[in-house]
Amino acid sequence: RPRGLLSDLYPRWYGARELLLHHRDPYGPDITLEIERGYYGRELNSALPGDPKDKQAFAYPIFVVFFLAPTLSQPFGKVQTGFYWLLIGLTVLSIPLWASLAQMRMTFLLTIAIILIVIGSFQFIQGLKLQQLTLLVAPLLAIALALLMRGQLLTAGAILAIALIKPQLSLPLAAWLLVWTVGDFKRRWRLAAGFLLATSILMAGSEVILSGWLTKFYLAVLDYRRYTGGESIPVMFLGRSLGALLEGMLIGCCLVLSWRLRKHEGTSREFAAMAALILSVTVVIIPMVALYNQVLLLLPMFVIWRARAVLWAPGKTSRTLLATAGAWCAWPWIGALLVLIAKTFEPSWALRSAWSVPLSSMLGFPLLVTMVILLNWRRLNDYSPTSEPTR
């Protein structure tokens, strides 16, 4: 199998360099071939059964180049190292922001413990190794929501617009926040203004540097769906018909609840629960099962943890669901430990297929988290903060 840089940042960085420095179309087939040589070490050959299907084309909105422009004078090795530490720093920063939104009070030791758990998770490690921009977008969403909570709506809207560099992750949250803005437009219009103004600037600037980029981007996304064959979690588990039905039901629940809760303040439990639901549903329905996208589940997991005493109390069904979610969350570490123990008794070649054992609970975990939130929706919003332990 071809082995090159294997950095998801590289196609974006290379496309930005060719566009801004050499005025070449980053969506063009010639650039795609050059990206393949860097990413995989050589061009892909469809005749070879072991070759990957992902061409690593520049399938991003063109305005991502604005944020990469300051790095283009540096060799990619230095950019790669800097981006590595940036992703770690932003993820660490986002953890207390997500916890604050969930109204989860944490001691210093608990904060450190959660940070270690998050940066030691397979989902984060995978995103970090691949240098996935998801690890940049997720903290941007956390920062936008934190600014919103503090009343800095104009800046929050602008940060939300920047997060559109990965629209499949940020658009659902942005759409809900625009509905929330309508709930009290006289006080919240700055959020929509900041978002629309920043988006307009990015779109107009993109058109200046590459005319017709939106059509090129759309075609690149269609091509990406074709050669990767990406499917959502429901489609993967239930098939196309039932999977699409479940996706529609989840989207319908989000639409109904977002409209009902549009008047609640950004500091309310209802707002946090709605944001958690939107993010968990986003991970479930996006047409690509990538484990690194599960960093968006930090807020949903914090919301569930914050209300754990109330969720545990009602009855056997609720407890079973909550216990299952906890077990699935812990299994990657348990499974890894079991594989390490087995390695002391079995030769390494006998355990080559065991690498997937710790990951077996991860594919369905976002759907389970979503079900916990939906089935306990009233309890998540009605519990008394005074009844919940702080540690």
Side-chain angles (χ1 to χ4, degrees):
R1 291 175 64 86
R3 306 290 294 181
L5 292 169
L6 299 181
S7 167
D8 285 348
L9 176 66
Y10 179 75
R12 271 44 81 184
W13 179 85
Y14 188 88
R17 190 188 72 173
E18 294 305 302
L19 173 62
L20 296 181
L21 300 185
H22 304 124
H23 309 292
R24 300 172 67 195
D25 181 1
Y27 297 109
D30 52 337
I31 297 293
T32 299
L33 291 177
E34 292 170 17
I35 289 174
E36 283 183 7
R37 296 186 195 116
Y39 187 91
Y40 291 115
R42 62 168 171 81
E43 294 179 18
L44 297 180
N45 186 350
S46 59
L48 297 177
D51 266 19
K53 302 301 181 185
D54 188 349
K55 296 189 297 186
Q56 289 299 324
F58 189 91
Y60 269 61
I62 200 66
F63 49 77
V64 72
V65 307
F66 297 139
F67 308 105
L68 293 172
T71 70
L72 300 182
S73 62
Q74 300 295 321
F76 183 70
K78 287 186 176 181
V79 176
Q80 199 172 15
T81 301
F83 194 64
Y84 177 92
W85 291 106
L86 175 66
L87 294 181
I88 294 176
L90 286 176
T91 301
V92 170
L93 172 66
S94 72
I95 290 172
L97 296 181
W98 290 128
S100 174
L101 181 63
Q103 301 181 9
M104 179 178 169
R105 292 172 291 177
M106 299 195 301
T107 64
F108 177 76
L109 289 179
L110 181 58
T111 302
I112 296 299
I114 292 176
I115 288 173
L116 292 176
I117 289 171
V118 171
I119 66 175
S121 67
F122 180 87
Q123 293 92 328
F124 176 78
I125 295 290
Q126 184 194 46
L128 188 64
K129 177 177 173 58
L130 295 176
Q131 300 207 305
Q132 242 294 324
L133 268 66
T134 294
L135 299 188
L136 176 63
V137 171
L140 287 177
L141 296 179
I143 293 170
L145 289 172
L147 289 170
L148 183 151
M149 286 180 61
R150 290 163 175 77
Q152 300 179 35
L153 301 183
L154 193 67
T155 308
I159 297 294
L160 193 61
I162 294 173
L164 291 177
I165 56 175
K166 281 191 80 83
Q168 68 272 34
L169 298 184
S170 53
L171 270 178
L173 187 69
W176 165 60
L177 289 177
L178 290 178
V179 172
W180 177 79
T181 300
V182 173
D184 191 354
F185 191 76
K186 288 184 178 179
R187 295 176 53 212
R188 301 171 183 170
W189 64 270
R190 289 182 179 83
L191 178 67
F195 177 75
L196 295 175
L197 178 61
T199 302
S200 299
I201 293 173
L202 291 173
M203 299 283 280
S206 299
E207 189 64 27
V208 169
I209 61 174
L210 184 64
S211 179
W213 73 271
L214 197 55
T215 300
K216 296 174 184 289
F217 169 61
Y218 174 72
L219 294 175
V221 170
L222 292 181
D223 192 38
Y224 176 83
R225 290 288 306 279
R226 180 184 58 78
Y227 60 71
T228 61
E231 295 179 337
S232 66
I233 292 174
V235 171
M236 176 175 289
F237 282 109
L238 302 176
R240 292 198 176 276
S241 299
L242 290 178
L245 177 62
L246 179 56
E247 289 177 10
M249 292 172 63
L250 292 175
I251 294 172
C253 287
C254 289
L255 291 173
V256 171
L257 291 173
S258 62
W259 183 253
R260 288 181 179 178
L261 300 179
R262 68 190 185 280
K263 294 185 180 298
H264 286 272
E265 295 298 324
T267 54
S268 66
R269 292 192 302 274
E270 292 82 0
F271 182 90
M274 193 65 228
L277 178 61
I278 293 292
L279 291 175
S280 63
V281 170
T282 298
V283 178
V284 169
I285 67 173
I286 54 176
M288 180 182 182
V289 180
L291 297 180
Y292 49 74
N293 286 334
Q294 293 184 20
V295 295
L296 290 176
L297 297 180
L298 280 173
L299 177 61
M301 292 169 69
F302 281 153
V303 167
I304 293 171
W305 178 260
R306 181 68 177 88
R308 65 192 182 278
V310 176
L311 300 185
W312 187 257
K316 187 175 180 180
T317 302
S318 179
R319 290 185 180 186
T320 301
L321 188 61
L322 198 60
T324 303
W328 281 27
C329 183
W331 173 249
W333 282 273
I334 298 172
L337 180 61
L338 293 176
V339 172
L340 286 176
I341 293 173
K343 195 171 182 291
T344 63
F345 301 101
E346 297 288 342
S348 296
W349 61 266
L351 296 171
R352 284 180 180 173
S353 61
W355 66 269
S356 62
V357 171
L359 313 184
S360 57
S361 67
M362 291 186 184
L363 287 179
F365 185 64
L367 185 57
L368 183 59
V369 169
T370 303
M371 291 298 101
V372 171
I373 293 175
L374 281 175
L375 295 177
N376 293 282
W377 183 256
R378 189 177 298 277
R379 297 186 188 98
L380 283 173
N381 294 317
D382 290 347
Y383 74 90
S384 171
T386 57
S387 67
E388 178 64 19
T390 59
R391 294 173 183 265

